[in-house]
Amino acid sequence: MERQSTPQLRMSKESGEASQTGAARVEAGAKVTAVRSTRVVLDDTICPAEIIICNGQITDIVPRRSRAHARGEKVLDVGDLVVMPGIIDTHVHICEPGHTAWEGYSSATKAAAAGGVTTLVDMPLNCLPPTTSLANLATKLQAAAGQCHVDVAFWGGVVPRNQEELLSMLQAGVPGFKCSLITSGVEEESHVCLQDLHMALNELQDTECVLLFHAEQELGPWKPALEDPTEYRTFLDSRPDSMEVEAIETVADLCLQYKVPCHILHLSSAQALPIIRAARQKGAPLTVETAHHYLTLMSERIPPGGTYYKCCPPIRGKTNREQLWTALQEGLIDMVVSAHNPCSPDLKLLDDGDFLKTQEGIASLQFGLPLFWTSAKSRGFSLHDMVQLMCKKPANLSRLDDRKGALSPGMDADLVIWDPDKEFEVKKNMIQHKHQLTPYLGFQLCGEVLATLVRGRLVYLKGKFSAKPEGNLLVTQTKMPMKVPSPYY
């Protein structure tokens, strides 16, 4: 049920014996020392609580209004709005430097903040130069510096013949590497062959880093069953489930052989789920994500010429979608991400409507929380399930779980404050991505984000952003191998 009015957020300056000296105006950019709510999502409960913040970290969580406050503390009282850990989105293509016409750090991180995302991890291969060497990583860090409204970490990339760069990038702070088993529409994203993977995995053994896979493989020549490229079915026939199934069989075998943590990106085909289950039962350190568009959209409803729905792997049918939801409930799929992959509208060929020629990718970073909640709540998912799938598991994947993904003392004070009962319509004027083209325009979603805090600072508040970007560029500490890698052959 929709609320009749939006709850108010009040900032009070406390003094002496916790007496309120009057509500102050809450503004984006403010540094908060405590957050109060009747619905704070902790590990084992949802309860009234007050989260105490100092130097950007949570120092304590106490029963609501149970402590005396020092004079001048800035306490944000959000009534009965939900307070939970900020969303961590580990699959975001920002495209800067090199393709800033598609997306940049400023616009992407504003969209993240507006959607309750407090940390994102940038993909390595949709930028120039791609993040495939230590020098290129330095270029990317320089481009991002001073622009980010939320915290940002960076994946490295595996491409043919760059295995000698991998350990130096690990030492510089990337948590892992992404590779693709298939040619993409982006020139700099060179796909890898089996020999490349053996060389990379041999290099990464004993490091505890993760190798991420775009898991589709070419199957040979394809002849369209339909002649009309403006029909979505023509495109869907060109990317059958078997492309994912064969690729995931390859990944599962490699994961078992090397015991290097491997991760399947944006799983779309439920036909691959038995392979994943079997590999895990054999001891493979294999994790899997799916994306919001695979859980929300279905191929039967994609209109002719609706090229803004094109993504790879493709959106499949309703039955497949429901099987993905079941896999989430069973824990076979570990997390849900945006797989935000934007481009400029001209690359979507809206006038031609040709699915086979248009650039792939769906822009959705800002709307992940309400997209998930709108569908999940009717399927019996809880707020704790959301925290697992969109906060804790992504934090673990990106090696940030020592500081992100949960509300507990010692963790970064990254919070999203939102109303799970508030419905709204997705309109162009609210979209913070560089381009407003998205299949979600006009959708009625449930779950409005009111405020986002990164390390205790209000980076977003009811449509307003901190004047100064407050995000940090994150590096992770990864175990380095003690032995010199030997040839895999």
Side-chain angles (χ1 to χ4, degrees):
M1 180 181 296
E2 182 177 356
R3 295 172 184 263
Q4 297 302 309
S5 60
T6 301
Q8 296 298 308
L9 286 73
R10 297 185 295 108
M11 181 85 82
S12 58
K13 291 185 177 180
E14 305 287 349
S15 64
E17 303 299 322
S19 62
Q20 186 168 311
T21 59
R25 181 179 177 182
V26 186
E27 293 184 349
K31 193 173 183 180
V32 176
T33 55
V35 176
R36 291 175 179 159
S37 172
T38 63
R39 290 193 288 179
V40 176
V41 183
L42 304 177
D43 283 344
D44 55 357
T45 188
I46 300 173
C47 63
E50 184 169 324
I51 300 168
I52 314 303
I53 301 167
C54 182
N55 296 324
Q57 291 188 325
I58 298 171
T59 58
D60 201 1
I61 299 175
V62 299
R64 194 166 183 254
R65 295 184 181 274
S66 68
R67 72 182 189 107
H69 296 82
R71 183 178 299 276
E73 281 196 74
K74 294 183 178 178
V75 181
L76 185 63
D77 192 328
V78 303
D80 62 354
L81 293 174
V82 168
V83 176
M84 73 178 214
I87 302 297
I88 298 174
D89 195 332
T90 55
H91 192 151
V92 180
H93 295 268
I94 294 183
C95 314
E96 185 176 0
H99 292 302
T100 51
W102 300 359
E103 188 71 277
Y105 286 104
S106 178
S107 54
T109 57
K110 277 188 173 181
V117 177
T118 53
T119 301
L120 58 84
V121 192
D122 178 44
M123 282 293 167
L125 300 175
N126 279 37
C127 51
L128 286 173
T131 318
T132 53
S133 70
L134 185 60
N136 290 0
L137 173 62
T139 299
K140 174 163 279 197
L141 291 168
Q142 184 177 13
Q147 290 203 71
C148 299
H149 290 263
V150 301
D151 286 355
V152 179
F154 302 87
W155 297 116
V158 171
V159 293
R161 298 173 298 280
N162 83 323
Q163 70 273 7
E164 293 183 358
E165 292 280 354
L166 302 183
L167 294 183
S168 62
M169 283 192 280
L170 274 181
Q171 287 180 314
V174 303
F177 300 90
K178 182 238 180 163
C179 66
S180 180
L181 302 183
I182 194 170
T183 303
S184 76
V186 181
E187 182 178 349
E188 56 271 13
E189 189 168 344
S190 301
H191 70 289
V192 293
C193 67
L194 195 57
Q195 181 180 2
D196 298 321
L197 291 173
H198 280 296
M199 294 173 73
L201 285 163
N202 187 61
E203 194 79 7
L204 297 175
Q205 276 190 308
D206 301 319
T207 64
E208 297 181 353
C209 89
V210 61
L211 186 57
L212 318 173
F213 292 83
H214 181 130
E216 289 181 288
Q217 286 183 191
E218 295 284 5
L219 302 177
W222 167 75
K223 185 177 180 180
L226 296 174
E227 297 295 330
D228 188 354
T230 67
E231 292 290 337
Y232 184 73
R233 173 55 62 179
T234 302
F235 168 63
L236 186 57
D237 287 344
S238 75
R239 312 287 288 216
D241 297 79
S242 52
M243 293 177 67
E244 280 190 88
V245 170
E246 290 207 9
I248 290 171
E249 285 180 339
T250 298
V251 174
D253 289 344
L254 290 168
C255 191
L256 281 167
Q257 178 179 347
Y258 286 93
K259 295 298 173 69
V260 170
C262 295
H263 180 76
I264 304 298
L265 296 166
H266 46 40
L267 177 74
S268 84
S269 175
Q271 290 185 23
L273 292 169
I275 301 167
I276 295 162
R277 180 181 286 109
R280 287 180 172 175
Q281 289 172 347
K282 294 175 183 176
L286 182 64
T287 54
V288 185
E289 71 183 37
T290 192
H292 299 296
H293 36 274
Y294 303 128
L295 297 173
T296 303
L297 307 173
M298 49 187 173
S299 60
E300 296 91 338
R301 293 191 179 178
I302 296 177
T307 54
Y308 43 92
Y309 284 85
K310 180 181 177 180
C311 58
C312 295
I315 295 158
R316 305 192 189 276
K318 181 179 180 181
T319 299
N320 182 87
R321 183 186 71 176
E322 296 310 310
Q323 290 171 333
L324 294 179
W325 277 107
T326 299
L328 273 178
Q329 289 171 319
E330 295 174 350
L332 193 54
I333 296 175
D334 300 278
M335 64 198 76
V336 184
V337 297
S338 69
H340 177 73
N341 193 2
C343 66
S344 54
D346 60 296
L347 296 178
K348 283 295 186 182
L349 306 180
L350 299 176
D351 292 336
D352 295 335
D354 189 329
F355 280 103
L356 300 180
K357 294 180 180 178
T358 184
Q359 180 86 5
E360 65 189 65
I362 287 177
S364 61
L365 175 59
Q366 184 174 339
F367 301 107
L369 185 155
L371 281 169
F372 181 81
W373 183 243
T374 299
S375 297
K377 65 172 185 170
S378 63
R379 291 175 166 86
F381 285 76
S382 68
L383 294 175
H384 282 112
D385 294 327
M386 176 181 279
V387 170
Q388 284 291 327
L389 293 166
M390 298 179 69
C391 307
K392 287 190 175 183
K393 292 293 184 67
N396 184 263
L397 176 72
S398 53
R399 309 304 189 244
L400 295 169
D401 49 319
D402 61 334
R403 48 184 150 161
K404 308 283 188 183
L407 300 184
S408 60
M411 303 293 276
D412 285 353
D414 295 350
L415 316 175
V416 55
I417 298 167
W418 64 292
D419 185 344
D421 303 314
K422 182 68 181 294
E423 294 181 1
F424 68 95
E425 179 181 343
V426 178
K427 298 180 179 179
K428 276 190 175 183
N429 63 358
M430 68 174 60
I431 297 176
Q432 299 295 327
H433 312 142
K434 185 173 283 273
H435 302 290
Q436 285 73 46
L437 184 63
T438 173
Y440 302 117
L441 278 177
F443 272 44
Q444 295 289 329
L445 300 181
C446 189
E448 182 182 41
V449 174
L450 277 298
T452 303
L453 287 84
V454 175
R455 287 170 284 99
R457 192 176 294 276
L458 277 165
V459 298
Y460 172 82
L461 178 65
K462 296 196 291 184
K464 304 292 185 182
F465 299 89
S466 174
K468 178 185 175 184
E470 299 288 350
N472 283 346
L473 306 184
L474 304 177
V475 295
T476 57
Q477 298 299 316
T478 305
K479 175 186 172 186
M480 301 304 292
M482 299 299 292
K483 64 181 180 66
V484 177
S486 58
Y488 75 90
Y489 50 85

